[in-house]
Amino acid sequence: MSNAKKYENINWKKCNVTLFNLQNKILKAYRNGSFKDVIEAQNDWVRSFAARALAVRKVTSNKGKNTRGIDKVLLTTSKEKLEVIHNIKNLSSYKAQPVRRVYIPKANGKLRPLGIPTVKDRIVQTLFYFAIDPLAEETACKRSYGYRMHRSVHDNA
């Protein structure tokens, strides 16, 4: 999978299985009380090709995919997407860029500020979201339904 030469040739089904397995590894380590293993599993997840590929796919295929950050960069071609997947592997020297400020008019005539991060920042945020999500779901209140994946207020019956 990690030796894909083209973005179109990435096996997304295998990436999703890898996502599930690595997230289960994080969860098992947490349940065993081994926080060192949790951090190691999260690091494995963030560095894995599958995680990076899924993060790029999620950021470049969502509703805000054409929104440019302060660097004015968009990932439109498959070559650019694959290049980012390979370049984002080492995050030891990563530093987030400033956000682009846009002001949106409110109903009362005032303006509301909106910060738009760069594409790379959104990809890194998604990577870390994938690594933290299993722990967030495990430690969340069982009766909480707000802002949680695959849950809604209608599920509390």
Side-chain angles (χ1 to χ4, degrees):
M1 177 174 45
S2 64
N3 56 5
K5 302 291 184 215
K6 291 187 176 183
Y7 183 78
E8 296 84 14
N9 295 342
I10 295 174
N11 185 346
W12 295 112
K13 197 175 215 178
K14 193 171 180 181
C15 286
N16 283 320
V17 169
T18 304
L19 164 69
F20 181 76
N21 290 338
L22 284 169
Q23 284 182 330
N24 276 336
K25 185 178 172 184
I26 293 168
L27 198 54
K28 285 178 188 175
Y30 176 78
R31 287 179 179 164
N32 291 335
S34 176
F35 296 107
K36 181 183 174 197
D37 291 341
V38 169
I39 291 170
E40 285 179 13
Q42 286 176 330
N43 285 333
D44 290 345
W45 167 244
V46 170
R47 290 185 184 109
S48 76
F49 178 84
R52 292 178 283 132
L54 286 169
V56 168
R57 181 182 189 199
K58 185 172 183 171
V59 168
T60 58
S61 63
N62 65 11
K63 195 169 117 180
K65 66 183 175 185
N66 294 324
T67 307
R68 299 172 189 268
I70 201 163
D71 62 353
K72 305 284 191 228
V73 173
L74 281 181
L75 300 179
T76 53
T77 67
S78 299
K79 186 178 179 182
E80 291 172 338
K81 293 174 187 177
L82 192 63
E83 189 176 310
V84 168
I85 291 171
H86 291 300
N87 290 343
I88 208 157
K89 186 172 187 174
N90 184 9
L91 295 175
S92 62
S93 63
Y94 170 75
K95 186 169 167 81
Q97 298 291 314
V99 295
R100 183 171 68 123
R101 263 305 162 199
V102 176
Y103 292 92
I104 299 172
K106 291 171 42 173
N108 64 4
K110 293 184 177 181
L111 296 175
R112 180 177 71 87
L114 176 69
I116 302 172
T118 64
V119 174
K120 185 176 180 181
D121 290 342
R122 285 185 271 169
I123 292 169
V124 172
Q125 288 170 3
T126 304
L127 264 175
F128 286 113
Y129 163 75
F130 285 152
I132 293 172
D133 186 49
L135 297 180
E137 285 296 319
E138 180 71 11
T139 58
C141 177
K142 301 299 179 207
R143 298 182 54 83
S144 170
Y145 295 92
Y147 304 105
R148 292 180 62 194
M149 211 51 153
H150 309 296
R151 288 191 171 222
S152 74
V153 293
H154 307 293
D155 293 336
N156 65 1

